[in-house]
Coordinates of all heavy atoms in Angstrom, one line a residue:
E1 N -6.4 10.1 15.3 CA -7.3 10.3 14.1 C -6.8 9.9 12.8 O -7.5 9.4 11.9 CB -7.7 11.8 14.0 CG -8.8 12.2 13.0 CD -9.1 13.7 12.9 OE1 -8.2 14.4 13.5 OE2 -10.1 14.0 12.3
A2 N -5.4 10.0 12.6 CA -4.9 9.6 11.5 C -4.4 8.1 11.4 O -3.7 7.7 10.5 CB -3.6 10.4 11.2
A3 N -4.8 7.4 12.4 CA -4.4 5.9 12.4 C -5.7 5.1 12.3 O -6.8 5.5 12.6 CB -3.7 5.6 13.8
A4 N -5.5 3.8 12.0 CA -6.6 2.9 11.8 C -6.1 1.5 12.2 O -5.0 1.2 12.3 CB -7.0 2.9 10.3
R5 N -7.1 0.6 12.6 CA -6.9 -0.8 12.9 C -7.6 -1.7 11.9 O -8.6 -1.3 11.3 CB -7.4 -1.0 14.3 CG -6.6 -0.3 15.4 CD -7.2 -0.5 16.8 NE -8.7 -0.3 16.9 CZ -9.3 -0.5 18.0 NH1 -8.8 -1.0 19.0 NH2 -10.6 -0.2 17.9
N6 N -7.0 -3.0 11.8 CA -7.6 -3.9 10.8 C -7.9 -3.2 9.5 O -9.0 -3.2 9.0 CB -9.0 -4.4 11.4 CG -8.7 -5.1 12.8 OD1 -7.7 -5.7 13.0 ND2 -9.6 -5.1 13.7
V7 N -6.9 -2.9 8.8 CA -6.9 -2.2 7.6 C -7.0 -3.2 6.4 O -6.3 -4.2 6.4 CB -5.7 -1.3 7.3 CG1 -5.8 -0.5 6.0 CG2 -5.5 -0.3 8.5
F8 N -7.9 -2.9 5.4 CA -8.1 -3.8 4.3 C -8.1 -2.8 3.0 O -8.8 -1.9 3.0 CB -9.4 -4.5 4.3 CG -9.7 -5.3 3.0 CD1 -9.1 -6.5 2.7 CD2 -10.5 -4.7 2.0 CE1 -9.5 -7.1 1.4 CE2 -10.8 -5.2 0.7 CZ -10.3 -6.4 0.5
I9 N -7.1 -3.0 2.2 CA -6.9 -2.2 1.0 C -6.8 -3.0 -0.3 O -5.9 -3.9 -0.3 CB -5.7 -1.3 1.1 CG1 -5.7 -0.5 2.4 CG2 -5.5 -0.3 -0.1 CD1 -4.4 0.4 2.6
M10 N -7.7 -2.8 -1.2 CA -7.5 -3.4 -2.5 C -7.2 -2.4 -3.5 O -7.9 -1.4 -3.8 CB -8.8 -4.2 -2.9 CG -8.7 -5.1 -4.2 SD -10.2 -6.0 -4.6 CE -11.0 -4.7 -5.5
N11 N -6.1 -2.7 -4.2 CA -5.6 -1.6 -5.2 C -5.6 -2.2 -6.6 O -5.1 -3.3 -6.8 CB -4.1 -1.3 -4.9 CG -3.6 0.0 -5.6 OD1 -4.4 0.6 -6.4 ND2 -2.3 0.3 -5.5
N12 N -6.1 -1.5 -7.6 CA -6.2 -2.0 -8.9 C -5.4 -1.1 -9.9 O -5.5 0.2 -9.8 CB -7.6 -2.0 -9.5 CG -8.5 -3.0 -8.8 OD1 -8.0 -4.1 -8.6 ND2 -9.8 -2.8 -8.5
T13 N -4.5 -1.7 -10.6 CA -3.7 -1.0 -11.7 C -4.0 -1.8 -13.0 O -4.7 -2.8 -13.0 CB -2.2 -1.0 -11.3 OG1 -1.8 -2.4 -11.3 CG2 -2.0 -0.4 -10.0
P14 N -3.6 -1.1 -14.2 CA -3.9 -1.8 -15.4 C -3.4 -3.2 -15.5 O -3.9 -4.0 -16.3 CB -3.2 -0.9 -16.4 CG -3.3 0.5 -15.8 CD -3.1 0.2 -14.3
H15 N -2.2 -3.6 -14.8 CA -1.6 -4.9 -14.9 C -1.6 -5.7 -13.6 O -1.0 -6.8 -13.6 CB -0.2 -4.7 -15.6 CG -0.2 -4.0 -16.9 ND1 -0.9 -4.5 -18.0 CD2 0.3 -2.8 -17.2 CE1 -0.6 -3.7 -19.0 NE2 0.0 -2.6 -18.5
L16 N -2.0 -5.0 -12.5 CA -1.7 -5.7 -11.3 C -2.9 -5.4 -10.3 O -3.5 -4.3 -10.3 CB -0.5 -5.2 -10.6 CG -0.1 -5.8 -9.2 CD1 0.3 -7.4 -9.5 CD2 1.1 -5.1 -8.6
E17 N -3.4 -6.5 -9.6 CA -4.4 -6.3 -8.6 C -3.8 -6.8 -7.3 O -3.3 -8.0 -7.2 CB -5.6 -7.2 -8.9 CG -6.8 -7.1 -7.9 CD -8.0 -8.0 -8.3 OE1 -8.8 -7.5 -9.2 OE2 -8.1 -9.0 -7.8
S18 N -3.9 -6.0 -6.2 CA -3.2 -6.4 -5.0 C -4.2 -6.1 -3.8 O -5.0 -5.1 -3.9 CB -1.9 -5.5 -4.7 OG -2.2 -4.1 -4.6
V19 N -4.1 -7.0 -2.9 CA -4.9 -6.9 -1.7 C -4.0 -6.9 -0.5 O -3.2 -7.8 -0.3 CB -6.0 -8.0 -1.6 CG1 -6.8 -8.0 -0.3 CG2 -6.9 -8.1 -2.7
T20 N -4.1 -5.9 0.3 CA -3.2 -5.8 1.4 C -4.1 -5.6 2.8 O -5.1 -4.9 2.8 CB -2.4 -4.3 1.3 OG1 -1.7 -4.4 0.2 CG2 -1.4 -4.3 2.5
T21 N -3.7 -6.4 3.7 CA -4.3 -6.4 5.0 C -3.3 -6.1 6.1 O -2.1 -6.6 6.0 CB -5.0 -7.7 5.3 OG1 -4.0 -8.9 5.2 CG2 -6.1 -8.0 4.3
S22 N -3.6 -5.5 7.1 CA -2.6 -5.0 8.1 C -3.5 -4.8 9.5 O -4.6 -4.5 9.5 CB -2.0 -3.7 7.7 OG -1.1 -3.2 8.8
A23 N -2.8 -5.1 10.5 CA -3.4 -4.9 11.9 C -3.5 -3.5 12.3 O -4.4 -3.1 13.0 CB -2.5 -5.7 12.9
R24 N -2.5 -2.6 11.7 CA -2.5 -1.2 12.2 C -2.0 -0.4 11.0 O -1.0 -0.9 10.2 CB -1.8 -1.0 13.4 CG -1.6 0.4 13.8 CD -0.9 0.6 15.2 NE -0.6 2.0 15.5 CZ -1.5 2.7 16.1 NH1 -2.7 2.4 16.4 NH2 -1.3 4.0 16.3
G25 N -2.5 0.8 10.8 CA -1.9 1.7 9.8 C -2.0 3.1 10.4 O -2.7 3.6 11.2
A26 N -0.9 3.9 9.9 CA -0.7 5.3 10.4 C -0.2 6.1 9.3 O 0.3 5.6 8.3 CB 0.3 5.3 11.6
L27 N -0.4 7.4 9.4 CA 0.0 8.4 8.4 C 1.2 9.2 8.9 O 1.2 9.7 10.1 CB -1.1 9.4 8.1 CG -0.9 10.3 6.9 CD1 -0.6 9.7 5.6 CD2 -1.9 11.3 6.9
Q28 N 2.2 9.4 8.2 CA 3.3 10.2 8.5 C 3.8 11.1 7.3 O 3.5 10.7 6.2 CB 4.6 9.2 8.9 CG 4.3 8.3 10.1 CD 5.5 7.5 10.3 OE1 6.6 7.5 9.7 NE2 5.4 6.6 11.3
Y29 N 4.5 12.2 7.7 CA 5.0 13.1 6.8 C 6.4 13.1 6.7 O 7.1 13.3 7.7 CB 4.4 14.6 7.0 CG 3.0 14.7 6.7 CD1 2.1 14.6 7.8 CD2 2.5 15.0 5.5 CE1 0.8 14.7 7.7 CE2 1.1 15.2 5.4 CZ 0.2 15.0 6.4 OH -1.1 15.2 6.2
Q30 N 7.1 12.8 5.6 CA 8.5 12.8 5.5 C 9.0 13.4 4.2 O 8.4 13.1 3.1 CB 9.0 11.3 5.5 CG 8.7 10.5 6.8 CD 9.2 9.1 6.7 OE1 9.8 8.7 5.7 NE2 9.1 8.4 7.8
D31 N 9.9 14.4 4.3 CA 10.5 15.1 3.1 C 9.4 15.6 2.2 O 9.4 15.3 1.0 CB 11.4 14.1 2.3 CG 12.5 13.6 3.2 OD1 13.0 14.4 4.1 OD2 13.0 12.5 2.9
N32 N 8.4 16.3 2.8 CA 7.3 16.9 2.0 C 6.5 15.8 1.2 O 5.9 16.1 0.2 CB 7.8 18.0 1.1 CG 6.7 18.9 0.6 OD1 5.8 19.1 1.4 ND2 6.8 19.5 -0.5
Q33 N 6.4 14.6 1.8 CA 5.7 13.5 1.2 C 4.8 12.9 2.3 O 5.3 12.9 3.5 CB 6.6 12.4 0.6 CG 7.3 12.9 -0.6 CD 8.2 11.8 -1.2 OE1 8.6 10.8 -0.5 NE2 8.6 11.8 -2.5
R34 N 3.6 12.4 1.9 CA 2.8 11.7 2.8 C 3.0 10.3 2.6 O 2.7 9.6 1.5 CB 1.3 12.2 2.5 CG 0.3 11.6 3.5 CD -1.1 12.4 3.4 NE -1.5 12.3 2.0 CZ -2.6 13.0 1.7 NH1 -3.1 13.9 2.5 NH2 -3.0 13.0 0.4
V35 N 3.4 9.6 3.7 CA 3.7 8.2 3.7 C 2.7 7.3 4.6 O 2.5 7.8 5.8 CB 5.1 8.0 4.2 CG1 5.5 6.4 4.1 CG2 6.1 8.7 3.3
L36 N 2.1 6.3 4.0 CA 1.3 5.4 4.8 C 2.1 4.2 5.3 O 2.8 3.5 4.5 CB 0.2 5.0 4.0 CG -0.9 4.0 4.6 CD1 -1.5 4.5 5.8 CD2 -1.8 3.4 3.5
V37 N 2.1 4.0 6.6 CA 2.9 3.0 7.2 C 1.9 1.9 7.8 O 1.1 2.3 8.7 CB 3.8 3.6 8.4 CG1 4.6 2.5 9.1 CG2 4.7 4.7 7.9
L38 N 2.1 0.8 7.3 CA 1.3 -0.4 7.8 C 2.2 -1.4 8.6 O 3.3 -1.6 8.3 CB 0.6 -1.1 6.6 CG -0.3 -0.3 5.7 CD1 -0.8 -1.2 4.5 CD2 -1.4 0.3 6.5
E39 N 1.6 -1.9 9.6 CA 2.4 -2.9 10.5 C 1.7 -4.2 10.5 O 0.3 -4.3 10.7 CB 2.5 -2.3 11.8 CG 3.3 -0.9 11.8 CD 3.4 -0.3 13.2 OE1 2.7 -0.8 14.1 OE2 4.1 0.7 13.4
H40 N 2.4 -5.3 10.6 CA 1.9 -6.7 10.8 C 0.8 -6.9 9.9 O -0.3 -7.1 10.3 CB 1.5 -6.8 12.3 CG 2.4 -6.5 13.3 ND1 3.6 -7.2 13.6 CD2 2.6 -5.3 14.2 CE1 4.4 -6.7 14.5 NE2 3.8 -5.5 14.9

């Protein structure tokens, strides 16, 4: 449920625009933080 395939993410900041694509994404918890792990 916490994983996805063919991920497309567009992120806008005041000075940067980024487009990230990945074949797979998953959610992990590390040191009381939520970390998004993208692969390939």
Side-chain angles (χ1 to χ4, degrees):
E1 186 182 15
R5 298 180 300 179
N6 300 327
V7 181
F8 171 85
I9 304 175
M10 189 178 83
N11 191 8
N12 289 322
T13 61
H15 305 293
L16 184 66
E17 179 182 280
S18 62
V19 177
T20 304
T21 57
S22 174
R24 178 178 172 82
L27 182 67
Q28 297 179 1
Y29 292 93
Q30 295 179 356
D31 300 331
N32 202 25
Q33 292 180 340
R34 188 164 54 190
V35 180
L36 178 63
V37 180
L38 301 178
E39 299 177 354
H40 306 290

